[in-house]
Amino acid sequence: VQLASTVSDSELLKSEPAHLLHLLFNEDTVRLFEDEPMQFACKCSTDRVAGVLQSLGQLEMETLLVERGVVEISCEYCGKDYQFDRVDVASLFSDPSVRLDSPSGVQ
């Protein structure tokens, strides 16, 4: 905050980023990297969600199934919803090497 307050509004609006960095950090060696385009990339998948459910354990999943009838997971990053019914949950714990390609309730 103290460093930023040393730069005027007009300098902030008109100066190139490299010049602003020099003004703010003139005693340090500042290195700028090439611009890279940003893109949205969520890494959630059915396999990842299935792994999380397996890590919670069979008893926890069966309790959720009794309470709600289905296990629902929503990715907080991209908003994708995953639903696992009794058959899906049973297959998670029948053979730990088996992963679900597409649970019946995936939306």
Side-chain angles (χ1 to χ4, degrees):
V1 172
Q2 289 176 343
L3 284 175
S5 66
T6 65
V7 181
S8 71
D9 291 343
S10 64
E11 287 175 314
L12 286 172
L13 293 172
K14 296 177 183 177
S15 298
E16 291 293 319
H19 179 68
L20 282 174
L21 288 172
H22 176 71
L23 289 175
L24 294 170
F25 303 102
N26 61 3
E27 294 179 10
D28 298 316
T29 302
V30 177
R31 190 171 64 154
L32 295 176
F33 295 94
E34 291 295 321
D35 293 343
E36 289 186 29
M38 293 178 58
Q39 65 182 16
F40 176 80
C42 184
K43 295 182 180 180
C44 77
S45 69
T46 302
D47 284 346
R48 286 181 156 218
V49 173
V52 169
L53 297 180
Q54 284 178 321
S55 71
L56 292 173
Q58 188 169 3
L59 181 59
E60 182 71 23
M61 293 304 98
E62 289 174 0
T63 302
L64 283 172
L65 287 171
V66 168
E67 291 174 2
R68 300 179 182 170
V70 67
V71 177
E72 297 176 307
I73 304 290
S74 294
C75 176
E76 295 294 325
Y77 188 67
C78 71
K80 186 171 182 179
D81 295 321
Y82 297 88
Q83 292 183 353
F84 292 76
D85 62 16
R86 292 183 184 285
V87 173
D88 297 326
V89 171
S91 68
L92 288 175
F93 297 100
S94 63
D95 181 0
S97 66
V98 173
R99 292 289 193 186
L100 301 175
D101 291 327
S102 178
S104 59
V106 173
Q107 299 175 351

XYZ file of all heavy atoms in Angstrom:
830
model
N 0.831 -1.191 0.000
C 0.000 0.000 0.000
C 0.871 1.248 0.000
O 0.588 2.215 -0.701
C -0.972 -0.007 1.208
C -1.703 1.309 1.342
C -1.957 -1.148 1.102
N 1.931 1.203 0.785
C 2.808 2.372 0.840
C 3.467 2.628 -0.515
O 3.571 3.771 -0.952
C 3.868 2.197 1.920
C 3.294 2.279 3.312
C 4.346 2.014 4.381
O 5.408 1.465 4.086
N 4.049 2.406 5.608
N 3.925 1.561 -1.171
C 4.547 1.739 -2.484
C 3.534 2.233 -3.515
O 3.824 3.136 -4.296
C 5.160 0.419 -2.965
C 6.465 -0.005 -2.317
C 6.870 -1.384 -2.812
C 7.546 1.003 -2.589
N 2.351 1.669 -3.514
C 1.343 2.059 -4.494
C 0.917 3.512 -4.307
O 0.580 4.192 -5.281
C 0.134 1.144 -4.398
N 0.956 3.996 -3.094
C 0.544 5.383 -2.858
C 1.562 6.386 -3.406
O 1.269 7.573 -3.504
C 0.316 5.623 -1.367
O 1.524 5.512 -0.647
N 2.747 5.930 -3.809
C 3.755 6.828 -4.373
C 3.550 7.067 -5.864
O 4.223 7.895 -6.455
C 5.179 6.275 -4.158
O 5.318 5.058 -4.884
C 5.470 6.042 -2.683
N 2.616 6.353 -6.477
C 2.354 6.491 -7.901
C 1.063 7.284 -8.075
O 0.050 7.004 -7.431
C 2.218 5.106 -8.570
C 1.968 5.243 -10.054
C 3.448 4.270 -8.318
N 1.082 8.248 -8.954
C -0.101 9.092 -9.172
C -1.144 8.355 -10.010
O -0.832 7.378 -10.708
C 0.297 10.391 -9.869
O 0.658 10.132 -11.204
N -2.361 8.855 -9.958
C -3.439 8.267 -10.752
C -3.125 8.320 -12.245
O -3.369 7.363 -12.976
C -4.760 8.983 -10.472
C -5.293 8.708 -9.072
O -4.830 7.744 -8.445
O -6.182 9.459 -8.628
N -2.577 9.430 -12.696
C -2.261 9.558 -14.128
C -1.167 8.569 -14.529
O -1.190 8.027 -15.630
C -1.865 10.988 -14.482
O -0.672 11.352 -13.819
N -0.190 8.327 -13.649
C 0.853 7.337 -13.951
C 0.246 5.938 -14.046
O 0.622 5.146 -14.914
C 1.945 7.357 -12.876
C 2.847 8.561 -12.933
C 3.827 8.603 -11.777
O 3.411 8.376 -10.631
O 5.025 8.850 -12.056
N -0.694 5.641 -13.160
C -1.343 4.331 -13.198
C -2.127 4.128 -14.494
O -2.143 3.034 -15.054
C -2.287 4.164 -12.005
C -1.625 3.926 -10.656
C -2.659 3.984 -9.542
C -0.904 2.596 -10.634
N -2.749 5.181 -14.964
C -3.577 5.071 -16.163
C -2.783 5.093 -17.464
O -3.159 4.462 -18.441
C -4.607 6.203 -16.190
C -5.687 6.138 -15.103
C -6.524 7.405 -15.116
C -6.561 4.915 -15.288
N -1.664 5.821 -17.480
C -0.954 6.058 -18.735
C 0.334 5.260 -18.897
O 0.854 5.143 -19.997
C -0.647 7.555 -18.875
C -1.897 8.405 -18.967
C -1.578 9.876 -19.024
C -2.852 10.706 -19.035
N -2.585 12.130 -19.023
N 0.880 4.744 -17.826
C 2.193 4.088 -17.892
C 2.076 2.626 -18.307
O 1.100 1.940 -17.995
C 2.893 4.156 -16.541
O 3.122 5.478 -16.173
N 3.081 2.168 -18.987
C 3.193 0.750 -19.322
C 3.508 -0.026 -18.042
O 4.153 0.500 -17.131
C 4.314 0.530 -20.340
C 4.016 1.101 -21.709
C 2.882 0.360 -22.382
O 2.823 -0.882 -22.292
O 2.043 1.036 -23.002
N 3.094 -1.270 -17.968
C 3.365 -2.065 -16.772
C 4.846 -2.121 -16.393
O 5.192 -2.029 -15.211
C 2.841 -3.454 -17.133
C 1.778 -3.186 -18.150
C 2.260 -1.984 -18.916
N 5.733 -2.240 -17.374
C 7.171 -2.303 -17.074
C 7.645 -1.016 -16.409
O 8.453 -1.049 -15.479
C 7.967 -2.569 -18.348
N 7.135 0.120 -16.871
C 7.518 1.402 -16.279
C 6.995 1.515 -14.841
O 7.709 1.973 -13.944
C 6.997 2.561 -17.137
C 7.323 3.899 -16.574
N 8.613 4.384 -16.513
C 6.532 4.850 -16.015
C 8.602 5.586 -15.944
N 7.341 5.882 -15.630
N 5.764 1.088 -14.618
C 5.205 1.117 -13.261
C 6.010 0.243 -12.310
O 6.287 0.638 -11.169
C 3.751 0.648 -13.277
C 2.720 1.640 -13.749
C 1.349 0.985 -13.838
C 2.667 2.851 -12.834
N 6.386 -0.921 -12.767
C 7.190 -1.805 -11.926
C 8.534 -1.167 -11.593
O 9.022 -1.276 -10.468
C 7.385 -3.161 -12.603
C 6.138 -4.039 -12.640
C 6.384 -5.262 -13.509
C 5.728 -4.450 -11.245
N 9.115 -0.492 -12.563
C 10.384 0.202 -12.316
C 10.188 1.325 -11.289
O 11.018 1.511 -10.393
C 10.962 0.768 -13.612
C 12.212 1.553 -13.380
N 13.410 0.959 -13.034
C 12.452 2.896 -13.410
C 14.323 1.902 -12.864
N 13.756 3.090 -13.098
N 9.104 2.062 -11.402
C 8.833 3.135 -10.435
C 8.656 2.584 -9.024
O 9.155 3.164 -8.055
C 7.564 3.905 -10.830
C 7.643 4.801 -12.047
C 6.262 5.375 -12.358
C 8.647 5.925 -11.825
N 7.966 1.489 -8.922
C 7.667 0.928 -7.604
C 8.829 0.137 -7.002
O 9.027 0.138 -5.792
C 6.429 0.034 -7.684
C 5.123 0.754 -8.006
C 4.017 -0.256 -8.294
C 4.720 1.671 -6.865
N 9.569 -0.537 -7.842
C 10.618 -1.438 -7.335
C 11.966 -1.112 -7.967
O 12.708 -2.008 -8.373
C 10.237 -2.897 -7.636
C 8.915 -3.300 -7.074
C 7.788 -3.374 -7.877
C 8.781 -3.599 -5.726
C 6.556 -3.741 -7.367
C 7.560 -3.976 -5.198
C 6.446 -4.036 -6.012
N 12.322 0.169 -8.019
C 13.544 0.565 -8.724
C 14.823 0.061 -8.068
O 15.870 0.045 -8.678
C 13.589 2.080 -8.938
C 13.583 2.841 -7.626
O 13.592 2.240 -6.564
N 13.561 4.147 -7.702
N 14.766 -0.364 -6.830
C 15.962 -0.882 -6.155
C 16.115 -2.383 -6.357
O 17.145 -2.948 -5.993
C 15.897 -0.553 -4.662
C 15.964 0.944 -4.388
C 15.881 1.271 -2.904
O 15.955 0.340 -2.078
O 15.744 2.457 -2.583
N 15.105 -3.003 -6.920
C 15.132 -4.455 -7.127
C 15.242 -4.777 -8.607
O 14.911 -3.967 -9.467
C 13.841 -5.094 -6.593
C 13.675 -4.887 -5.099
O 14.662 -5.050 -4.368
O 12.543 -4.559 -4.667
N 15.731 -5.970 -8.880
C 15.749 -6.443 -10.261
C 14.395 -7.072 -10.543
O 14.002 -8.040 -9.905
C 16.869 -7.494 -10.462
O 18.104 -6.909 -10.105
C 16.894 -7.986 -11.885
N 13.683 -6.479 -11.476
C 12.354 -6.974 -11.823
C 12.433 -7.639 -13.184
O 13.011 -7.097 -14.119
C 11.330 -5.811 -11.869
C 9.968 -6.318 -12.301
C 11.250 -5.137 -10.514
N 11.841 -8.826 -13.268
C 11.849 -9.572 -14.512
C 10.417 -9.799 -14.957
O 9.584 -10.274 -14.189
C 12.548 -10.913 -14.279
C 12.834 -11.683 -15.519
C 13.699 -12.860 -15.231
N 13.003 -13.796 -14.354
C 13.248 -15.090 -14.306
N 14.193 -15.604 -15.055
N 12.590 -15.869 -13.497
N 10.105 -9.446 -16.184
C 8.772 -9.644 -16.746
C 8.758 -10.888 -17.624
O 9.694 -11.132 -18.372
C 8.350 -8.432 -17.580
C 8.171 -7.126 -16.823
C 7.858 -5.998 -17.788
C 7.078 -7.257 -15.794
N 7.689 -11.623 -17.525
C 7.530 -12.809 -18.344
C 6.617 -12.496 -19.521
O 5.834 -11.557 -19.487
C 6.947 -13.957 -17.511
C 7.851 -14.408 -16.417
C 7.736 -13.890 -15.130
C 8.835 -15.343 -16.659
C 8.580 -14.303 -14.123
C 9.688 -15.768 -15.662
C 9.553 -15.237 -14.387
N 6.728 -13.290 -20.561
C 5.865 -13.123 -21.733
C 4.406 -13.353 -21.329
O 4.118 -14.165 -20.455
C 6.243 -14.125 -22.833
C 7.591 -13.851 -23.465
C 7.635 -12.534 -24.217
O 6.641 -12.196 -24.882
O 8.656 -11.840 -24.106
N 3.513 -12.634 -22.007
C 2.087 -12.823 -21.766
C 1.682 -14.231 -22.174
O 2.168 -14.756 -23.176
C 1.255 -11.834 -22.583
C 1.451 -10.404 -22.128
O 1.963 -10.196 -21.004
O 1.095 -9.494 -22.884
N 0.784 -14.814 -21.396
C 0.214 -16.110 -21.733
C -1.296 -15.990 -21.660
O -1.818 -15.410 -20.707
C 0.685 -17.191 -20.752
C 2.131 -17.557 -20.903
C 2.516 -18.740 -20.016
O 1.641 -19.580 -19.745
O 3.670 -18.800 -19.619
N -1.973 -16.520 -22.651
C -3.436 -16.438 -22.596
C -3.976 -17.275 -21.435
O -3.443 -18.346 -21.128
C -3.888 -16.997 -23.941
C -2.734 -17.795 -24.437
C -1.499 -17.204 -23.832
N -4.999 -16.765 -20.803
C -5.630 -17.490 -19.708
C -6.806 -18.275 -20.253
O -7.471 -17.846 -21.200
C -6.110 -16.501 -18.643
C -4.995 -15.797 -17.932
S -5.572 -14.600 -16.729
C -6.550 -15.596 -15.650
N -7.051 -19.415 -19.647
C -8.205 -20.197 -20.049
C -8.766 -20.924 -18.845
O -8.050 -21.237 -17.902
C -7.854 -21.193 -21.152
C -6.888 -22.272 -20.737
C -6.541 -23.191 -21.884
O -6.770 -22.873 -23.038
N -5.985 -24.333 -21.586
N -10.043 -21.154 -18.876
C -10.735 -21.882 -17.825
C -10.502 -23.368 -18.050
O -10.715 -23.865 -19.149
C -12.225 -21.557 -17.866
C -13.024 -22.339 -16.876
C -13.069 -21.963 -15.551
C -13.731 -23.454 -17.271
C -13.805 -22.679 -14.637
C -14.472 -24.180 -16.368
C -14.508 -23.788 -15.041
N -10.067 -24.065 -17.025
C -9.831 -25.495 -17.172
C -10.044 -26.193 -15.835
O -9.155 -26.246 -15.004
C -8.417 -25.751 -17.684
N -11.242 -26.687 -15.638
C -11.532 -27.457 -14.428
C -11.044 -28.892 -14.649
O -11.182 -29.439 -15.742
C -13.022 -27.451 -14.133
S -13.418 -28.301 -12.584
N -10.503 -29.481 -13.610
C -9.958 -30.829 -13.740
C -10.860 -31.887 -13.105
O -10.435 -33.009 -12.897
C -8.566 -30.883 -13.109
C -7.560 -30.020 -13.845
C -6.191 -30.129 -13.223
C -5.211 -29.245 -13.990
N -3.870 -29.296 -13.442
N -12.096 -31.501 -12.793
C -12.977 -32.503 -12.193
C -13.356 -33.546 -13.247
O -13.346 -33.278 -14.442
C -14.219 -31.849 -11.584
S -15.506 -31.337 -12.745
N -13.648 -34.734 -12.776
C -14.075 -35.819 -13.660
C -14.818 -36.849 -12.823
O -14.735 -36.846 -11.589
C -12.877 -36.478 -14.344
O -12.109 -37.192 -13.391
N -15.505 -37.729 -13.492
C -16.204 -38.803 -12.792
C -15.225 -39.649 -11.988
O -15.497 -40.013 -10.850
C -16.971 -39.678 -13.808
O -17.879 -38.851 -14.531
C -17.730 -40.785 -13.109
N -14.065 -39.940 -12.558
C -13.069 -40.745 -11.854
C -12.575 -40.051 -10.586
O -12.400 -40.679 -9.550
C -11.875 -41.054 -12.756
C -12.183 -42.147 -13.774
O -13.216 -42.832 -13.609
O -11.403 -42.312 -14.713
N -12.337 -38.751 -10.658
C -11.867 -38.014 -9.480
C -12.930 -38.001 -8.386
O -12.632 -38.173 -7.210
C -11.469 -36.600 -9.854
C -10.157 -36.557 -10.591
C -9.782 -35.127 -10.931
N -8.347 -35.114 -11.094
C -7.548 -34.146 -10.704
N -8.034 -33.071 -10.154
N -6.257 -34.232 -10.879
N -14.173 -37.757 -8.781
C -15.263 -37.747 -7.801
C -15.423 -39.141 -7.201
O -15.594 -39.284 -5.987
C -16.574 -37.246 -8.443
C -17.741 -37.402 -7.482
C -16.427 -35.795 -8.875
N -15.351 -40.167 -8.026
C -15.449 -41.544 -7.531
C -14.335 -41.834 -6.525
O -14.569 -42.479 -5.495
C -15.400 -42.529 -8.693
N -13.142 -41.343 -6.795
C -12.035 -41.536 -5.858
C -12.281 -40.863 -4.515
O -11.948 -41.402 -3.460
N -12.879 -39.685 -4.550
C -13.213 -38.984 -3.311
C -14.247 -39.787 -2.532
O -14.125 -39.959 -1.305
C -13.735 -37.558 -3.606
C -14.326 -36.927 -2.371
C -12.626 -36.695 -4.175
N -15.251 -40.275 -3.219
C -16.280 -41.063 -2.545
C -15.691 -42.336 -1.941
O -16.040 -42.720 -0.821
C -17.412 -41.406 -3.512
C -18.193 -40.222 -4.080
C -19.281 -40.707 -5.019
C -18.758 -39.341 -2.989
N -14.794 -42.978 -2.653
C -14.138 -44.167 -2.111
C -13.336 -43.825 -0.866
O -13.310 -44.576 0.099
C -13.228 -44.807 -3.158
C -13.976 -45.578 -4.212
C -13.048 -46.157 -5.260
O -12.085 -45.518 -5.675
N -13.352 -47.375 -5.695
N -12.692 -42.672 -0.869
C -11.874 -42.293 0.284
C -12.732 -42.008 1.516
O -12.265 -42.134 2.643
C -10.999 -41.078 -0.047
O -11.785 -39.907 -0.154
N -13.989 -41.620 1.305
C -14.889 -41.390 2.442
C -15.341 -42.693 3.078
O -15.742 -42.708 4.240
C -16.091 -40.569 2.003
C -15.791 -39.128 1.609
C -17.032 -38.473 1.020
C -15.277 -38.328 2.786
N -15.312 -43.767 2.321
C -15.633 -45.086 2.860
C -17.039 -45.548 2.540
O -17.956 -44.761 2.326
N -17.182 -46.856 2.539
C -18.440 -47.482 2.167
C -19.547 -47.161 3.172
O -20.686 -46.890 2.787
C -18.260 -48.996 2.051
C -19.460 -49.696 1.482
C -19.173 -51.141 1.134
O -18.074 -51.640 1.364
N -20.145 -51.817 0.573
N -19.249 -47.166 4.455
C -20.257 -46.884 5.469
C -20.840 -45.488 5.300
O -22.061 -45.298 5.357
C -19.663 -47.045 6.876
C -20.622 -46.807 8.028
C -21.807 -47.759 7.960
C -19.895 -46.955 9.351
N -19.985 -44.501 5.057
C -20.449 -43.129 4.849
C -21.348 -43.036 3.610
O -22.385 -42.368 3.630
C -19.251 -42.194 4.695
C -19.615 -40.748 4.511
C -20.177 -40.083 5.766
O -19.914 -40.570 6.875
O -20.891 -39.076 5.605
N -20.959 -43.721 2.539
C -21.762 -43.683 1.317
C -23.109 -44.364 1.519
O -24.139 -43.876 1.064
C -21.018 -44.351 0.149
C -19.777 -43.622 -0.319
S -20.083 -41.919 -0.802
C -19.611 -41.043 0.663
N -23.116 -45.486 2.224
C -24.380 -46.181 2.484
C -25.291 -45.332 3.368
O -26.505 -45.305 3.167
C -24.104 -47.541 3.111
C -23.494 -48.521 2.120
C -23.075 -49.839 2.752
O -23.259 -50.013 3.982
O -22.561 -50.687 2.019
N -24.731 -44.626 4.328
C -25.515 -43.726 5.177
C -26.156 -42.626 4.339
O -27.341 -42.307 4.507
C -24.625 -43.103 6.278
O -24.039 -44.155 7.047
C -25.418 -42.187 7.181
N -25.401 -42.036 3.431
C -25.952 -41.004 2.542
C -27.063 -41.561 1.659
O -28.077 -40.893 1.419
C -24.853 -40.394 1.675
C -23.934 -39.394 2.357
C -22.776 -39.021 1.432
C -24.698 -38.156 2.765
N -26.877 -42.780 1.173
C -27.903 -43.390 0.330
C -29.196 -43.616 1.101
O -30.287 -43.398 0.574
C -27.393 -44.711 -0.257
C -26.359 -44.584 -1.369
C -25.771 -45.946 -1.707
C -26.965 -43.934 -2.606
N -29.085 -44.036 2.380
C -30.277 -44.240 3.207
C -30.973 -42.903 3.451
O -32.194 -42.789 3.354
C -29.904 -44.920 4.545
C -31.056 -44.881 5.525
C -29.452 -46.349 4.295
N -30.182 -41.864 3.750
C -30.754 -40.549 4.058
C -31.348 -39.856 2.837
O -32.395 -39.231 2.919
C -29.683 -39.628 4.653
C -29.214 -40.016 6.026
C -28.052 -39.163 6.517
O -27.624 -38.232 5.799
O -27.569 -39.439 7.621
N -30.665 -39.948 1.703
C -31.044 -39.132 0.544
C -31.444 -39.927 -0.689
O -31.946 -39.349 -1.655
C -29.893 -38.197 0.182
C -29.551 -37.271 1.330
C -28.431 -36.378 0.997
N -28.106 -35.550 2.146
C -27.065 -34.790 2.251
N -26.205 -34.737 1.265
N -26.849 -34.077 3.321
N -31.113 -41.199 -0.729
C -31.448 -42.015 -1.892
C -30.421 -41.945 -3.011
O -30.397 -42.778 -3.899
N -29.568 -40.926 -2.980
C -28.539 -40.737 -3.990
C -27.419 -39.910 -3.364
O -27.660 -39.119 -2.452
C -29.124 -40.047 -5.252
C -29.539 -38.625 -4.968
C -28.178 -40.104 -6.417
N -26.205 -40.107 -3.847
C -25.068 -39.292 -3.405
C -24.843 -38.240 -4.476
O -24.613 -38.568 -5.634
C -23.793 -40.148 -3.209
C -22.619 -39.269 -2.813
C -24.036 -41.222 -2.160
N -24.953 -36.981 -4.080
C -24.797 -35.876 -5.018
C -23.553 -35.069 -4.684
O -23.317 -34.730 -3.531
C -26.010 -34.947 -4.971
C -27.294 -35.610 -5.398
C -28.485 -34.684 -5.250
O -28.681 -34.133 -4.158
O -29.198 -34.527 -6.251
N -22.779 -34.781 -5.709
C -21.571 -33.980 -5.576
C -21.622 -32.878 -6.629
O -21.940 -33.137 -7.788
C -20.289 -34.829 -5.827
C -20.226 -36.039 -4.901
C -19.035 -33.989 -5.719
C -19.983 -35.707 -3.454
N -21.307 -31.660 -6.217
C -21.224 -30.541 -7.156
C -19.824 -29.971 -7.110
O -19.294 -29.708 -6.037
C -22.216 -29.434 -6.787
O -23.526 -29.887 -6.953
N -19.227 -29.779 -8.265
C -17.912 -29.152 -8.336
C -18.102 -27.659 -8.085
O -18.825 -26.986 -8.817
C -17.272 -29.382 -9.702
S -15.688 -28.534 -9.884
N -17.464 -27.152 -7.071
C -17.594 -25.737 -6.717
C -16.855 -24.841 -7.702
O -17.074 -23.642 -7.735
C -17.079 -25.495 -5.295
C -17.890 -26.182 -4.219
C -19.304 -25.645 -4.104
O -19.503 -24.433 -4.308
O -20.218 -26.442 -3.828
N -15.994 -25.422 -8.517
C -15.216 -24.635 -9.462
C -15.975 -24.414 -10.771
O -16.155 -23.293 -11.215
C -13.867 -25.315 -9.715
C -12.902 -24.505 -10.524
C -12.366 -23.333 -10.018
C -12.534 -24.905 -11.792
C -11.471 -22.578 -10.764
C -11.640 -24.164 -12.547
C -11.112 -23.003 -12.024
O -10.230 -22.252 -12.771
N -16.454 -25.504 -11.363
C -17.121 -25.380 -12.669
C -18.633 -25.541 -12.595
O -19.327 -25.249 -13.563
C -16.552 -26.385 -13.666
S -17.014 -28.100 -13.341
N -19.133 -26.035 -11.477
C -20.568 -26.167 -11.310
C -21.153 -27.471 -11.820
O -22.370 -27.664 -11.777
N -20.337 -28.385 -12.294
C -20.845 -29.660 -12.809
C -21.360 -30.508 -11.643
O -20.757 -30.557 -10.581
C -19.745 -30.405 -13.562
C -20.232 -31.660 -14.237
C -19.181 -32.250 -15.138
C -19.716 -33.485 -15.834
N -18.737 -34.071 -16.726
N -22.499 -31.160 -11.859
C -23.110 -32.005 -10.840
C -22.882 -33.477 -11.164
O -22.969 -33.887 -12.327
C -24.614 -31.743 -10.761
C -24.918 -30.333 -10.290
O -24.216 -29.843 -9.393
O -25.864 -29.730 -10.823
N -22.619 -34.243 -10.118
C -22.446 -35.688 -10.241
C -23.426 -36.351 -9.291
O -23.557 -35.929 -8.143
C -21.017 -36.112 -9.868
C -19.950 -35.544 -10.768
C -19.375 -34.299 -10.499
C -19.513 -36.241 -11.880
C -18.395 -33.766 -11.322
C -18.533 -35.716 -12.709
C -17.981 -34.489 -12.422
O -17.005 -33.965 -13.234
N -24.104 -37.385 -9.759
C -25.010 -38.152 -8.916
C -24.648 -39.624 -9.014
O -24.447 -40.146 -10.106
C -26.462 -37.952 -9.349
C -26.960 -36.557 -9.095
C -28.435 -36.408 -9.465
O -29.054 -37.312 -10.029
N -28.998 -35.267 -9.135
N -24.578 -40.267 -7.862
C -24.266 -41.682 -7.780
C -25.422 -42.374 -7.068
O -25.736 -42.033 -5.923
C -22.964 -41.906 -6.998
C -21.734 -41.396 -7.697
C -21.440 -40.037 -7.729
C -20.860 -42.271 -8.318
C -20.306 -39.563 -8.371
C -19.721 -41.803 -8.967
C -19.450 -40.452 -8.991
N -26.052 -43.343 -7.738
C -27.138 -44.083 -7.113
C -26.568 -45.324 -6.418
O -25.354 -45.505 -6.335
C -28.217 -44.438 -8.140
C -27.722 -45.346 -9.259
O -26.634 -45.960 -9.123
O -28.417 -45.452 -10.282
N -27.462 -46.174 -5.926
C -27.022 -47.368 -5.170
C -26.120 -48.279 -6.011
O -25.132 -48.812 -5.518
C -28.233 -48.158 -4.694
C -29.029 -47.439 -3.645
C -30.198 -48.296 -3.134
N -30.999 -47.539 -2.203
C -30.650 -47.259 -0.955
N -29.499 -47.694 -0.493
N -31.441 -46.568 -0.176
N -26.452 -48.444 -7.266
C -25.658 -49.309 -8.148
C -24.261 -48.720 -8.346
O -23.255 -49.435 -8.276
C -26.379 -49.505 -9.508
C -25.496 -50.262 -10.484
C -27.709 -50.208 -9.302
N -24.198 -47.419 -8.564
C -22.910 -46.751 -8.764
C -22.031 -46.887 -7.521
O -20.843 -47.198 -7.617
C -23.108 -45.261 -9.069
C -23.880 -45.020 -10.357
O -23.727 -45.818 -11.300
O -24.632 -44.024 -10.404
N -22.618 -46.638 -6.355
C -21.858 -46.707 -5.102
C -21.409 -48.134 -4.838
O -20.259 -48.376 -4.435
C -22.680 -46.138 -3.925
C -21.997 -46.410 -2.599
C -22.905 -44.644 -4.117
N -22.275 -49.104 -5.094
C -21.905 -50.506 -4.892
C -20.719 -50.882 -5.766
O -19.804 -51.590 -5.327
C -23.095 -51.417 -5.174
N -20.699 -50.395 -6.991
C -19.591 -50.734 -7.887
C -18.283 -50.083 -7.435
O -17.203 -50.602 -7.713
C -19.914 -50.345 -9.329
O -19.963 -48.947 -9.464
N -18.365 -48.961 -6.724
C -17.140 -48.327 -6.210
C -16.433 -49.210 -5.200
O -15.210 -49.191 -5.105
C -17.470 -46.990 -5.537
C -17.870 -45.836 -6.424
C -18.270 -44.647 -5.561
C -16.741 -45.452 -7.351
N -17.220 -49.949 -4.427
C -16.628 -50.730 -3.339
C -16.578 -52.224 -3.620
O -15.994 -52.966 -2.843
C -17.401 -50.449 -2.040
C -17.281 -49.010 -1.620
C -18.300 -48.113 -1.886
C -16.124 -48.550 -1.014
C -18.176 -46.780 -1.521
C -15.992 -47.214 -0.654
C -17.016 -46.328 -0.906
N -17.149 -52.688 -4.737
C -17.087 -54.110 -5.058
C -15.702 -54.504 -5.554
O -15.219 -55.579 -5.275
C -18.152 -54.483 -6.089
O -17.909 -53.795 -7.305
N -15.068 -53.608 -6.299
C -13.717 -53.847 -6.805
C -13.015 -52.495 -6.860
O -13.317 -51.670 -7.710
C -13.767 -54.483 -8.188
C -12.386 -54.786 -8.750
O -11.368 -54.502 -8.066
O -12.321 -55.308 -9.875
N -12.051 -52.224 -5.953
C -11.418 -50.905 -5.896
C -10.717 -50.488 -7.182
O -10.505 -49.310 -7.409
C -10.396 -51.037 -4.771
C -10.699 -52.300 -4.066
C -11.539 -53.142 -4.971
N -10.385 -51.444 -8.046
C -9.707 -51.075 -9.287
C -10.702 -50.595 -10.351
O -10.300 -50.056 -11.369
C -8.899 -52.256 -9.826
O -9.767 -53.304 -10.203
N -11.991 -50.823 -10.108
C -13.004 -50.421 -11.077
C -13.347 -48.953 -10.875
O -13.601 -48.497 -9.780
C -14.291 -51.277 -10.919
C -15.409 -50.743 -11.800
C -13.993 -52.723 -11.244
N -13.320 -48.206 -11.972
C -13.743 -46.803 -11.964
C -14.954 -46.676 -12.869
O -15.088 -47.402 -13.853
C -12.621 -45.880 -12.475
C -11.446 -45.805 -11.574
C -11.817 -45.041 -10.356
N -10.614 -44.698 -9.614
C -10.626 -44.133 -8.470
N -11.749 -43.784 -7.897
N -9.521 -43.843 -7.839
N -15.810 -45.741 -12.560
C -17.002 -45.535 -13.371
C -16.708 -44.573 -14.504
O -16.243 -43.474 -14.270
C -18.121 -44.965 -12.502
C -18.531 -45.823 -11.308
C -19.544 -45.083 -10.465
C -19.094 -47.135 -11.790
N -17.013 -44.980 -15.709
C -16.857 -44.065 -16.840
C -17.992 -43.057 -16.868
O -17.810 -41.908 -17.197
C -16.830 -44.833 -18.166
C -15.573 -45.658 -18.312
O -14.529 -45.233 -17.816
O -15.670 -46.728 -18.906
N -19.177 -43.500 -16.527
C -20.334 -42.607 -16.590
C -21.406 -43.111 -15.639
O -22.223 -43.954 -16.011
C -20.876 -42.561 -18.011
O -22.000 -41.741 -18.062
N -21.431 -42.610 -14.409
C -22.487 -43.047 -13.495
C -23.851 -42.729 -14.081
O -24.015 -41.767 -14.821
C -22.244 -42.217 -12.235
C -20.888 -41.642 -12.375
C -20.541 -41.651 -13.825
N -24.810 -43.527 -13.719
C -26.121 -43.383 -14.337
C -26.730 -42.026 -14.124
O -27.520 -41.571 -14.914
C -27.066 -44.469 -13.773
O -27.157 -44.324 -12.365
N -26.363 -41.328 -13.061
C -26.984 -40.045 -12.790
C -26.140 -38.841 -13.136
O -26.500 -37.738 -12.786
N -25.022 -38.999 -13.809
C -24.186 -37.845 -14.120
C -24.940 -36.895 -15.023
O -25.521 -37.301 -16.013
C -22.858 -38.260 -14.786
C -22.090 -37.041 -15.262
C -22.008 -39.059 -13.818
N -24.929 -35.618 -14.652
C -25.636 -34.619 -15.446
C -24.663 -33.826 -16.264
O -23.577 -33.579 -15.904
C -26.414 -33.678 -14.536
C -27.439 -34.424 -13.722
C -28.138 -33.508 -12.721
O -27.747 -32.362 -12.533
N -29.154 -34.021 -12.096
